Amino acid sequence: MTPVNDIDAWVWWLVGAAALGIPLVVTAMPEFGMFAVGAIAAAAVAGLGFGVVIQVLAFVVVSVALIAVVRPIAARHGRQRPQLATGVDALKGKQAVVLERVDGAGGRIKLAGEIWSARSLDTGRAYDVGQEVDVVDIEGATAIVI
């Protein structure tokens, strides 16, 4: 059995990287993954025979560099809305054809190949059969049109 003091430094760095991977999975905090990559870099430096000071320096430099570069990119990506609208959001802004007179009380339109109940956004405005209207919102199963 090998005493603890005889285990190479690179093995300890890999153990540290694995240990940092556990909270990454449990907490979903990407910073732990960046520290784990820093530990892998330190293991590589240790494997090349460099001393403890250089190993720690490699760990710190790689970890800090990853946090400084990746975190702002991830934060910016998290704030972006998806480019592809789906569901009722995809219907907003589409044109429809009036099938039954649409006014503030109701009516019917053909929207995206389906028949929808609809009402006018402006309660004093009415649209006759055959007119094209624009969908501005969907409330439940009713399209709001102008």
Side-chain angles (χ1 to χ4, degrees):
M1 185 164 153
T2 306
V4 173
N5 293 339
D6 290 346
I7 296 178
D8 290 331
W10 66 269
V11 173
W12 285 113
W13 282 110
L14 289 179
V15 168
L20 287 165
I22 293 169
L24 167 67
V25 172
V26 173
T27 65
M29 290 181 61
E31 291 82 2
F32 285 112
M34 295 173 209
F35 289 134
V37 172
I40 291 170
V45 169
L48 293 174
F50 289 97
V52 174
V53 173
I54 301 298
Q55 294 170 29
V56 171
L57 191 61
F59 171 75
V60 169
V61 168
V62 170
S63 297
V64 169
L66 283 172
I67 289 173
V69 171
V70 174
R71 279 188 76 197
I73 293 170
R76 194 169 45 245
H77 180 69
R79 286 190 301 265
Q80 289 179 339
R81 285 194 73 213
Q83 299 295 328
L84 180 62
T86 59
V88 294
D89 289 332
L91 299 174
K92 294 177 185 175
K94 296 279 186 186
Q95 286 193 329
V97 177
V98 176
L99 297 177
E100 293 176 14
R101 180 182 160 94
V102 175
D103 55 22
R108 296 239 184 264
I109 59 170
K110 186 163 193 170
L111 172 62
E114 298 178 348
I115 298 174
W116 282 73
S117 60
R119 69 177 170 80
S120 174
L121 178 64
D122 179 4
T123 55
R125 173 84 193 221
Y127 303 96
D128 292 319
V129 175
Q131 265 187 289
E132 286 192 355
V133 292
D134 293 317
V135 177
V136 293
D137 199 9
I138 304 286
E139 292 180 359
T142 303
I144 311 301
V145 299
I146 56 171

